[in-house]
Amino acid sequence: MRCFARLALMLAALFAGAMAHAADRGPVVLAASSLQGALGEAADAWAARGHARPLLSFAASSALARQAMAGAPADLFVSADEAWMDALARAGRLRGGTRATLAANRLVLIAPAGSKVEIAIQRRFALAAALGSGRLAIADPAAVPAGRYAKTALAHYGVWDSVAPKLAPAENVRAALALVERRAAPLGIVYATDARASRRVRQVALFPASSHPPIRYPVAILKASRHRDAAAFRAFLLSLHGRAILARHGFAAP
């Protein structure tokens, strides 16, 4: 009996320690990779107010949405498009009444910082010729929001078919940015905020907003979340302070 009593006490102590550790950590946030700089600053600002710093996990919205649908332990999801948030809503994974639009973005054509290429975006512009034997770095257009926006914009101008064989699809938009930074690709299509965040690329051209669906970032609390700060951190992101942080990183108001 004494052995069982000691075991019970040990298990109780371990459980209490695990609960205390969970209480000490901040909410887990699954966020689109293009938000790395902005949400990192927002998490620091939140922690400076005396809260536990949120745990930020960045990847393509598609990958994160699938993780959330599979039951990955997380509290908030911030997508780079409405479609993946819609998918979570249909799957019953969102807490009702918590979905809101956090920010907006633009799509740009980029080249390495030292590149002299000049391209004007217009009907049937010579993108394939500008690539030469190189490839166009974009996020995977089959699933990743940035890639889908890029495909739509290129199709709008009648150049998708000519560049489709020359793609260098990446797992997320930051990976596409990295290909251009490393000169592994002479051109790429990323968000304006990604281009702004890197000194190793330059913006060649801005895609008109009419060439693709609006680029909006919805945020919501996941239904399975039990973290006491989930709602408060969401509210902070949507506050004037949170939006000011996003604006400093180049995101537009929704």
Side-chain angles (χ1 to χ4, degrees), residues 31-41 57-62 64 80 105-108 110 137-140 144-147 168-185 187-201 217 245-246 248-251:
S33 57
S34 51
L35 288 162
Q36 286 181 34
L39 285 195
E41 183 179 341
S57 177
F58 297 104
S61 299
S62 52
L64 296 174
N105 213 335
R106 296 292 300 273
L107 201 65
V108 298
I110 60 169
I138 67 170
D140 183 1
V144 183
E171 64 182 9
N172 58 59
V173 71
R174 284 300 176 100
L177 175 70
L179 288 173
V180 182
E181 288 178 326
R182 298 197 305 266
R183 294 180 171 270
L187 293 166
I189 299 177
V190 299
Y191 296 128
T193 52
D194 297 305
R196 173 177 171 153
S198 175
R199 295 182 179 180
R200 291 187 285 166
V201 304
Y217 290 72
I245 291 172
L246 288 160
R248 282 199 293 275
H249 289 264
F251 291 91

Side-chain angles (χ1 to χ4, degrees), residues 12-155:
L14 287 171
F15 179 77
M19 291 299 290
H21 177 72
D24 288 342
R25 70 160 175 78
V28 176
V29 182
L30 306 180
S33 57
S34 51
L35 288 162
Q36 286 181 34
L39 285 195
E41 183 179 341
D44 290 340
W46 178 250
R49 295 185 171 194
H51 304 282
R53 190 182 191 278
L55 303 179
L56 307 177
S57 177
F58 297 104
S61 299
S62 52
L64 296 174
R66 291 184 182 114
Q67 289 176 24
M69 281 190 265
D75 300 291
L76 290 97
F77 176 51
V78 190
S79 175
D81 74 352
E82 302 283 357
W84 283 110
M85 191 67 84
D86 290 342
L88 283 183
R90 289 193 297 271
R93 297 292 186 178
L94 303 183
R95 184 180 297 177
T98 66
R99 180 171 174 171
T101 304
L102 180 62
N105 213 335
R106 296 292 300 273
L107 201 65
V108 298
L109 181 68
I110 60 169
S115 170
K116 304 299 182 184
V117 67
E118 296 293 342
I119 300 175
I121 293 178
Q122 55 192 353
R123 185 70 181 165
R124 299 196 180 282
F125 67 103
L127 181 58
L131 288 168
S133 60
R135 294 188 173 273
L136 178 69
I138 67 170
D140 183 1
V144 183
R148 293 199 300 222
Y149 291 128
K151 179 179 179 179
T152 300
L154 294 175

Side-chain angles (χ1 to χ4, degrees), residues 198-247:
S198 175
R199 295 182 179 180
R200 291 187 285 166
V201 304
R202 68 178 182 88
Q203 179 177 311
V204 176
L206 175 71
F207 283 90
S210 59
S211 67
H212 55 78
I215 301 173
R216 299 193 183 102
Y217 290 72
V219 57
I221 298 175
L222 295 171
K223 191 173 184 179
S225 172
R226 296 293 180 268
H227 200 286
R228 64 178 185 272
D229 280 348
F233 185 61
R234 170 191 171 277
F236 174 73
L237 292 176
L238 294 166
S239 71
L240 291 177
H241 190 173
R243 292 191 189 279
I245 291 172
L246 288 160

